[in-house]
Amino acid sequence: MRVLVIGSGAREHALLLALSKDPKVSKLLVAPGNAGTAKLAEQHPVDVASGAAVTELARKVEADLVVIGPEVPLVLGVADALREAGIATFGPSAAAARIEGSKAFAKDVMAVAGVRTAHSEIVDSPAKLDAALDRFGPNWVVKDDGLAAGKGVVVTTDRLVARDHAAELLETGHPVLLESFLDGPEVSLFCLVDGETVMPLLPAQDHKRVGDGDTGPNTGGMGAYTPLPWLPQAVVDQIVTEVVEPVAAEMVKRGCPFSGLLYAGLAIGVDGPAVVEFNCRFGDPETQAILELLDSPLGEALKATATGTLASLAPVQWKDGAAVTVVLAAENYPGRPRTGDAITGAGGLGVFHAGTASHEGKVVSAGGRVLSVVGSGADLAAARADAYSKIESIRLPGSHFRTDIGLAALEGRISL
């Protein structure tokens, strides 16, 4: 099986590594890739947002399966173009990708499906903003209604901060979603979904804030760990039966069945799981940790999902132990990152490239989240030690990373 992966981040690097271990995968290709993926796959330039360009490339390289990593091409309908050309594709249609591309759409699906989520209100005019803000608080959650790569969210107890963020979004033409605050620890649950068939992967926890102790602004994710020692299997089962399966069934009823990876981000409060958000693709940085523990052929699972045969696939198997992802970010991230600096020490196992490029024979920084470093071990403590040992050997001027990924769970400070 010849597999073409679309994207250029650490998520795609991790997908390629996992696919390379599948004996049925005979050839790996990536477009456009990065400085790290070149070691695993044949690289091709492509406009990932163009269905015509991706389809032309898939035909040229004779891909048997195309795996779309990022959300933007999915929301823009790249998967539709590939399917219309008869190419097996892992990733939802544009209509189904609205579960991430439009928070208003996701809220409506959840309401009809009877899925618990935060109370919300869409604000599309500055004139309506103050009155709407008065209906929320003392914790304000302000989101961009569209795609924002994880950075369009502000959670604050300061009404002025909430108002300023909302006003900025409205000024740029983006509708604002105000939500009630959901208390409790957060969980990311990835599920392979083929219509109404749902197969959960390991639960993980992301760390969104830029600084230790969950301080500073939101980012695309600064690290993650899996599995979650504080989360009973019964709660995972509850998320599948009360959240993911009803949403999948509702999307089938609406004529936009989901095919691909449905990512449920949830808060586990005193009343049980409640949805914070849905994503329509593998999340980053959780994917890097989850795939580290995968003990089943990834290509087989993705192909079954893409071809509508997931129901006949045996449940995926997992290695014992734990895995931790730590993100190395460029100076000034999540603001405008410093780029173009040489990176050294990033060639070892468990180092996944994201914002990197090759320049004059050197690997240089080319984005905000530059590398994901994955450690594994018999337990969370060992996995953390492995990850931080690896990241300490990497040099990038001005770079920064969180030192507390998974620490609260390790110290028993998270409980239900």
Side-chain angles (χ1 to χ4, degrees):
M1 179 167 55
R2 297 168 64 87
V3 183
L4 170 62
V5 175
I6 302 299
S8 60
R11 164 186 49 216
E12 287 75 33
H13 194 171
L15 286 166
L16 288 166
L17 180 62
L19 286 164
S20 73
K21 300 173 183 178
D22 186 333
K24 291 185 179 179
V25 174
S26 57
K27 179 74 173 180
L28 282 174
L29 310 104
V30 63
N34 58 42
T37 58
K39 296 179 181 179
L40 288 168
E42 184 178 292
Q43 305 210 146
H44 295 265
V46 76
D47 176 1
V48 300
S50 168
V54 173
T55 301
E56 181 182 2
L57 174 62
R59 282 175 167 157
K60 178 182 175 183
V61 302
E62 300 179 326
D64 299 302
L65 174 67
V66 177
V67 178
I68 302 175
E71 63 272 24
V72 170
L74 293 168
V75 170
L76 293 178
V78 172
D80 301 81
L82 286 160
R83 289 194 181 96
E84 286 170 10
I87 300 167
T89 303
F90 183 87
S93 66
R98 287 179 294 167
I99 199 74
E100 178 173 1
S102 169
K103 294 176 180 65
F105 173 80
K107 289 289 186 183
D108 186 58
V109 169
M110 285 186 277
V112 176
V115 171
R116 290 186 65 246
T117 186
H119 167 68
S120 65
E121 186 174 335
I122 293 285
V123 181
D124 57 9
S125 166
K128 302 176 183 177
L129 179 57
D130 285 308
L133 286 168
D134 289 342
R135 291 189 283 272
F136 290 82
N139 291 295
W140 283 270
V141 181
V142 184
K143 297 182 177 181
D144 187 330
D145 184 50
L147 296 177
K151 298 187 284 292
V153 182
V154 163
V155 181
T156 180
T157 57
D158 188 324
R159 188 183 188 281
L160 183 59
V161 170
R163 190 187 190 285
D164 286 347
H165 182 59
E168 182 181 351
L169 290 173
L170 290 167
E171 188 175 333
T172 57
H174 291 228
V176 168
L177 183 77
L178 299 180
E179 284 189 338
S180 58
F181 180 71
L182 293 174
D183 203 3
E186 291 197 6
V187 173
S188 300
L189 184 65
F190 295 2
C191 295
L192 299 175
V193 176
D194 165 20
E196 294 193 43
T197 302
V198 174
M199 183 179 290
L201 306 185
L202 287 179
Q205 187 177 61
D206 187 11
H207 295 60
K208 281 290 188 187
R209 301 276 190 168
V210 71
D212 284 2
D214 293 326
T215 57
N218 272 350
T219 70
M222 293 299 292
Y225 66 98
T226 187
L228 309 182
W230 49 269
L231 186 71
Q233 180 61 41
V235 177
V236 177
D237 297 340
Q238 182 184 7
I239 293 168
V240 173
T241 58
E242 295 182 8
V243 175
V244 184
E245 289 180 346
V247 164
E250 174 59 23
M251 293 183 76
V252 169
K253 290 177 185 176
R254 293 181 180 221
C256 54
F258 195 95
S259 172
L261 194 290
L262 186 58
Y263 164 146
L266 310 107
I268 313 298
V270 292
D271 296 323
V275 175
V276 175
E277 65 177 354
F278 280 107
N279 289 339
C280 64
R281 38 70 194 185
F282 279 100
D284 182 343
E286 299 99 321
T287 296
Q288 294 88 296
I290 290 170
L291 293 183
E292 178 69 17
L293 298 182
L294 181 66
D295 203 27
S296 294
L298 180 63
E300 181 182 8
L302 301 189
K303 185 69 177 289
T305 307
T307 56
T309 59
L310 183 61
S312 63
L313 185 74
V316 292
Q317 301 299 307
W318 303 98
K319 301 171 188 172
D320 292 333
V324 172
T325 304
V326 182
V327 171
L328 183 76
E331 183 177 346
N332 199 41
Y333 178 81
R336 180 174 293 178
R338 170 175 161 175
T339 60
D341 290 306
I343 306 166
T344 58
L349 292 175
V351 179
F352 296 98
H353 289 236
T356 68
S358 297
H359 180 68
E360 297 180 351
K362 297 180 179 179
V363 177
V364 300
S365 58
R369 292 188 296 167
V370 181
L371 300 168
S372 286
V373 179
V374 177
S376 60
D379 54 25
L380 182 54
R384 271 178 46 83
D386 187 36
Y388 283 110
S389 173
K390 291 174 181 175
I391 206 167
E392 289 292 352
S393 68
I394 299 171
R395 296 289 177 266
L396 172 62
S399 62
H400 58 98
F401 58 90
R402 282 185 60 160
T403 65
D404 64 346
I405 304 302
L407 185 59
L410 180 63
E411 295 180 343
R413 291 185 279 118
I414 303 179
S415 61
L416 297 182

